[in-house]
Amino acid sequence: MSWAETMRAGLDAIRAQRLRSLLTVLGIVIGISSVILTVGLGQGAQRQVQDQIDALGSNLLIVSPGSSTDSSGVRGGFGSASTLTMSDAEAIADPVAVPDAAAVAPTVSTSSSLAAGETNWTTSMVGATSSWPRVRSRELSSGRFLTAEEIASAAPVTVLGADTVAELFSTGSPVGQTVRVEGTTLTVVGVLAESGASSSGASEDDQAVVPLGLAKQLTGSTDTSVSTIYVEATAQDTLGAAYQEVETLLHNLHGVSAEEADFSLATQDSLVATANETNETMTVLLGGIAAISLLVGGIGVMNIMLVSVTERIREIGLRKALGATPAAIRRQFLVEASMLGLAGGLVGVLIGGLGARVLPALIDQPVAISLTATMAAIGTALALGIGFGVYPASRAARLAPIDALRSQ
Amino acid sequence: MSVVTCPDGDPAVHLAGVRKTYRSGTVEFEALRGIDMAIGTGDFVAVIGPSGSGKSTLMNLLGCLDVPTEGTYLLGGEDVSTMSETQLAHVRNRRIGFVFQQFHLLASLPAWRNVELPLVYAGIGRNERRERAVAALERVGLGDRVGNRPGELSGGQQQRVAVARALVTEPDIILADEPTGNLDSESTEAVLGLLGELHDAGRTIVLITHELEVAARAHRQLVIRDGRITSDESIGASR
Ligand SMILES: Nc1ncnc2c1ncn2[C@@H]1O[C@H](COP(=O)(O)OP(=O)(O)OP(=O)(O)O)[C@@H](O)[C@H]1O
Ligand SMILES: [Mg+2]
């Protein structure tokens, strides 16, 4: 009996029991569509994190005070704020010491309350130097950035994030208007274009950028410590070299060994990896649940196939009497089970794909559908059909023709 | 077991010392107790005997649906008592046509697809199968019922479909176990007429029955009692 014949017989059998076939594949449909959705959710979240971290700047190296290289890489140094200084930043900017650094942007940041007229708004005040827009990949939507003179003289000027503007000024352009911080009146000279990103939960669109010296004065700080030094490497493939150079330089400057380092270095990649760890845990967990439901679906197929063997025992006997070999019978039931599995997989992918369209609108989470995951899901469904069809099929094949024919 | 010699030279079927014991748990029952017989090619044999005498058991052995517990069975000169399941399947497919009392048609398939089933397992192409199935149905007078499912046919018509299925492979032997047991007299007549035609065309036919009028259509009668052949006589010359 050829494969084409076997498939025709399989289709006949499935069609003869439409409702039961449908119920049989339901488990697989649910399993596959939830696999598609969970994998899609996980990948969507990863892509989102990637996008946000990419938006921090390109080829970016982040130097933070504090020894930990743990998960809070960006925030690092809240407890030990004084280990990084302006002179560190100046040393990194030296092309002899760190040839692979294209630009260096030291920053200090504190939480501050801004007031415009009657409106108050607490935001992050960032003290920056003139390389900040370049290193952080930021552009202005109106006005201009702080000039070198303003930065050198710690002039009372500021550039605001788009969200900050929205909170403080209800109408009109904020450029030329003033805000008050700690009793000092600052003139708004520009507004940052939206980046859409956030780091450590704080929106990159809600901040007030001021000259670094001014930020020091406003917070009453007298030392030269900085919160973070952003370093832009000359290219994507020199990022690793720049990392090494900065690390060695700071070890020497601070007179510490690698074990007792009082600063930490992070690249975008390491940030992405850290953020993805959490996502992966979620994906694995949800994926595990989906895998269990697939297993249950597979057992469902086996169950129904066993019932089907019992129910069709006379048919099996008759086919054997007419010349079906045990191998032909086994193949018939295996093909039937794999067709059920495959059908379940295809419907599952369809429903999963539909869910991936609808879900983002409901829960505000992106869902990415990957071709690999889809193919793997269909393959799994097929394998389930075959795997759980083997036992019923060999049972059918082993039936003695005469016992099968005689059964009522 | 001694070498089996055949009186007619070329017997379709030759049984020597065949026994069949059924075991269910610890209970044993010997349904056939030493059968020696030969059926010549082209014979029309009726097997008669009371209920429980072992007729169906004999027919299952003849049809290679079951194997003897003891003894030898030569089918067309080939020893089938030692064959594997797969080999037996091929033998059934090529050499034997079955007609059962309960018709045994697949309810979900139309008549012609029931008839073509043995050809499917013989590996014959689709077009040829359909042609031969339709031809076989025409031969049993059901040329106009080709597309009907068994549920849409009368009992007599269903048994004629089963006869068409038995003859579609042009088998050496047609085995019919109480083929008329579920039929009225008119349908019985039609089915027996068909078997007679097949015999005339040269097929070997073994007909199991407990009705004497039915057995009278055959040219040789084997009487079986308690698992043994008690009488074997030819009746009337060939037609
Ligand atoms: N699978 C089996 N297990 C145990 N005993 C069996 C089995 N099949 C048949 N028998 C016994 O073997 C004997 C012969 O059975 P068989 O079916 O051959 O009789 P039969 O001559 O065809 O009878 P009937 O005319 O009623 O069909 C009976 O006594 C029956 O009970
Ligand atoms: Mg019987």
Side-chain angles (χ1 to χ4, degrees):
Chain A
M1 193 179 191
S2 71
W3 283 103
E5 290 304 333
T6 313
M7 290 200 190
R8 206 153 72 107
L11 269 185
D12 283 339
I14 289 169
R15 259 195 306 226
Q17 293 281 357
R18 268 171 247 257
L19 182 64
R20 197 173 69 184
S21 305
L22 197 82
L23 292 176
T24 307
V25 300
L26 204 62
I28 291 193
V29 168
I30 293 172
I32 290 291
S33 45
S34 49
V35 164
I36 294 271
L37 273 181
T38 46
V39 171
L41 271 171
Q43 289 188 341
Q46 277 180 19
R47 195 167 301 170
Q48 195 178 33
V49 167
Q50 178 86 52
D51 288 349
Q52 287 185 355
I53 291 175
D54 282 349
L56 292 177
S58 49
N59 311 331
L60 196 63
L61 203 59
I62 300 156
V63 192
S64 321
S67 62
S68 71
T69 48
D70 67 9
S71 61
S72 54
V74 181
R75 227 186 282 204
F78 262 47
S80 46
S82 58
T83 58
L84 282 181
T85 62
M86 276 307 288
S87 56
D88 288 334
E90 279 153 22
I92 295 170
D94 178 357
V96 179
V98 186
D100 291 308
V104 180
T107 60
V108 296
S109 75
T110 47
S111 178
S112 294
S113 184
L114 270 61
E118 296 300 303
T119 320
N120 280 291
W121 181 244
T122 301
T123 184
S124 158
M125 183 172 68
V126 176
T129 59
S130 41
S131 53
W132 188 87
R134 171 186 173 174
V135 175
R136 302 299 316 276
S137 303
R138 298 302 297 264
E139 284 173 357
L140 285 100
S141 59
S142 63
R144 58 171 175 81
F145 193 66
L146 315 171
T147 64
E149 293 77 51
E150 285 164 350
I151 289 164
S153 62
V157 287
T158 185
V159 171
L160 299 178
D163 291 351
T164 322
V165 169
E167 292 295 342
L168 288 173
F169 302 96
S170 44
T171 51
S173 168
V175 177
Q177 307 210 44
T178 58
V179 291
R180 289 182 313 281
V181 184
E182 309 284 341
T184 306
T185 302
L186 310 181
T187 307
V188 178
V189 296
V191 177
L192 293 168
E194 276 184 59
S195 89
S198 60
S199 59
S200 306
S203 167
E204 290 286 325
D205 290 322
D206 182 15
Q207 57 186 344
V209 184
V210 300
L212 198 141
L214 181 70
K216 284 278 175 197
Q217 287 172 21
L218 290 176
T219 53
S221 162
T222 51
D223 58 22
T224 62
S225 69
V226 294
S227 319
T228 309
I229 302 175
Y230 295 95
V231 182
E232 185 191 340
T234 48
Q236 179 73 51
D237 43 357
T238 56
L239 191 59
Y243 186 103
Q244 296 291 334
E245 290 157 9
V246 170
E247 193 172 40
T248 314
L249 176 73
L250 291 181
H251 282 154
N252 290 340
L253 283 177
H254 294 195
V256 294
S257 68
E259 289 77 42
E260 47 191 30
D262 52 359
F263 61 91
S264 59
L265 271 172
T267 61
Q268 279 156 298
D269 286 349
S270 67
L271 291 177
V272 172
T274 308
N276 279 349
E277 266 169 35
T278 340
N279 276 327
E280 261 157 32
T281 317
M282 267 321 269
T283 308
V284 166
L285 205 79
L286 290 173
I289 294 170
I292 289 171
S293 77
L294 267 181
L295 189 75
V296 172
I299 292 171
V301 169
M302 176 156 79
N303 216 337
I304 296 292
M305 290 308 295
L306 282 174
V307 170
S308 173
V309 167
T310 315
E311 235 174 43
R312 285 153 67 193
I313 201 156
R314 264 149 69 102
E315 175 189 334
I316 295 166
L318 174 75
R319 285 180 183 271
K320 286 193 157 189
L322 299 182
T325 58
I329 296 290
R330 183 180 313 120
R331 199 158 61 183
Q332 183 187 338
F333 277 85
L334 257 187
V335 163
E336 217 176 296
S338 5
M339 281 172 131
L340 286 176
L342 188 63
L346 290 175
V347 175
V349 162
L350 211 75
I351 292 179
L354 260 162
R357 283 278 162 88
V358 177
L359 208 59
L362 300 179
I363 61 168
D364 198 27
Q365 271 288 323
V367 182
I369 292 293
S370 83
L371 190 67
T372 340
T374 308
M375 299 311 267
I378 294 175
T380 308
L382 185 61
L384 277 174
I386 296 173
F388 285 101
V390 164
Y391 176 59
S394 61
R395 251 181 74 157
R398 274 203 309 270
L399 283 172
I402 186 58
D403 293 339
L405 263 183
R406 214 174 5 218
S407 96
Q408 292 314 307
Chain B
M1 179 106 320
S2 62
V3 174
V4 181
T5 50
C6 325
D8 311 318
D10 181 25
V13 162
H14 197 281
L15 300 186
V18 164
R19 290 172 178 275
K20 179 71 192 178
T21 306
Y22 290 113
R23 275 187 194 85
S24 35
T26 54
V27 185
E28 285 193 4
F29 182 81
E30 194 168 35
L32 294 180
R33 309 170 180 197
I35 303 271
D36 300 284
M37 69 173 200
I39 298 175
T41 303
D43 262 5
F44 188 167
V45 180
V47 178
I48 49 180
S51 181
S53 54
K55 303 185 297 293
S56 296
T57 305
L58 179 63
M59 144 111 172
N60 293 336
L61 292 185
L62 290 179
C64 299
L65 292 170
D66 208 351
V67 287
T69 318
E70 213 179 288
T72 332
Y73 172 21
L74 301 186
L75 177 63
E78 269 187 288
D79 188 354
V80 296
S81 28
T82 56
M83 282 187 178
S84 72
E85 259 295 320
T86 304
Q87 288 171 312
L88 288 176
H90 291 311
V91 168
R92 288 193 294 264
N93 183 244
R94 262 177 279 130
R95 310 188 137 217
I96 297 166
F98 290 99
V99 182
F100 303 98
Q101 180 175 358
Q102 308 91 329
F103 318 144
H104 281 315
L105 299 174
L106 297 185
S108 59
L109 300 180
W112 76 272
R113 289 205 49 198
N114 268 289
V115 173
E116 68 153 12
L117 269 180
L119 300 177
V120 169
Y121 292 108
I124 287 167
R126 215 171 151 173
N127 293 336
E128 186 188 339
R129 285 204 313 259
R130 187 175 172 124
E131 273 166 31
R132 283 172 67 173
V134 170
L137 281 167
E138 277 164 0
R139 196 159 156 197
V140 301
L142 289 174
D144 56 341
R145 295 294 193 187
V146 169
N148 289 80
R149 284 168 212 279
E152 300 157 3
L153 300 173
S154 74
Q157 287 171 329
Q158 289 186 50
Q159 194 60 304
R160 274 146 70 195
V161 172
V163 171
R165 184 180 61 194
L167 64 83
V168 75
T169 53
E170 310 270 322
D172 301 335
I173 304 177
I174 290 183
L175 297 176
D177 189 353
E178 311 259 13
T180 58
N182 284 349
L183 302 182
D184 62 18
S185 56
E186 201 176 318
S187 300
T188 297
E189 197 49 47
V191 167
L192 291 177
L194 280 170
L195 290 178
E197 278 174 35
L198 288 170
H199 169 244
D200 292 345
R203 305 263 166 264
T204 309
I205 293 172
V206 179
L207 170 64
I208 288 174
T209 183
H210 56 246
E211 291 169 79
L212 290 175
E213 317 88 89
V214 172
R217 305 293 283 256
H219 300 166
R220 180 178 165 198
Q221 290 185 354
L222 284 174
V223 179
I224 186 167
R225 267 204 178 79
D226 294 333
R228 285 190 191 88
I229 294 173
T230 57
S231 150
D232 177 356
E233 55 188 277
S234 295
I235 46 164
S238 302
R239 280 187 285 181

Coordinates of all heavy atoms in Angstrom, one line a residue, chain B residues 51-52 54-57 101 177-178 208 210, ligand 2:
Chain B
S51 N -23.8 -27.1 14.5 CA -23.2 -26.0 15.1 C -22.2 -26.4 16.1 O -22.4 -27.3 16.8 CB -24.3 -25.2 15.8 OG -23.7 -24.0 16.4
G52 N -21.0 -25.7 16.0 CA -19.9 -26.0 17.0 C -19.1 -27.2 16.6 O -18.2 -27.6 17.3
G54 N -16.9 -27.2 14.1 CA -15.6 -26.8 13.7 C -15.5 -26.3 12.3 O -14.4 -26.1 11.7
K55 N -16.6 -26.0 11.7 CA -16.7 -25.5 10.3 C -15.9 -24.2 10.1 O -15.1 -24.1 9.2 CB -18.1 -25.4 9.8 CG -19.0 -26.6 9.9 CD -20.3 -26.4 9.3 CE -21.2 -25.3 10.0 NZ -21.5 -25.7 11.4
S56 N -16.3 -23.2 11.0 CA -15.6 -21.9 10.8 C -14.1 -22.0 11.2 O -13.3 -21.3 10.5 CB -16.3 -20.9 11.7 OG -17.6 -20.7 11.3
T57 N -13.8 -22.9 12.1 CA -12.4 -23.0 12.5 C -11.6 -23.5 11.3 O -10.6 -23.0 10.9 CB -12.3 -24.1 13.6 OG1 -13.1 -23.6 14.7 CG2 -10.8 -24.2 14.1
Q101 N -20.5 -14.3 6.5 CA -21.9 -14.3 6.8 C -22.4 -12.8 7.1 O -23.4 -12.4 6.7 CB -22.2 -15.2 8.0 CG -23.7 -15.2 8.4 CD -24.0 -16.2 9.5 OE1 -23.1 -16.9 9.9 NE2 -25.2 -16.2 9.9
D177 N -18.2 -18.5 4.2 CA -18.7 -19.0 5.5 C -20.1 -18.6 5.7 O -20.3 -17.4 6.0 CB -17.8 -18.5 6.6 CG -18.1 -19.3 7.9 OD1 -19.1 -20.0 8.0 OD2 -17.3 -19.1 8.9
E178 N -21.0 -19.5 5.5 CA -22.5 -19.2 5.7 C -22.8 -17.9 4.9 O -23.4 -17.0 5.5 CB -22.8 -19.0 7.2 CG -22.3 -20.1 8.1 CD -23.4 -21.1 8.4 OE1 -24.5 -21.0 7.8 OE2 -23.2 -21.9 9.3
I208 N -19.3 -23.0 3.2 CA -19.7 -23.6 4.5 C -21.1 -23.2 4.8 O -21.5 -22.1 4.6 CB -18.8 -23.0 5.6 CG1 -17.4 -23.6 5.5 CG2 -19.3 -23.3 7.0 CD1 -16.3 -23.1 6.4
H210 N -25.0 -24.8 6.9 CA -25.7 -25.9 7.6 C -27.1 -26.2 6.9 O -27.9 -26.9 7.4 CB -25.8 -25.7 9.1 CG -26.5 -24.4 9.4 ND1 -25.8 -23.4 10.1 CD2 -27.8 -24.0 9.3 CE1 -26.6 -22.4 10.3 NE2 -27.8 -22.7 9.8
Ligands
MG2 MG -19.5 -20.9 12.1

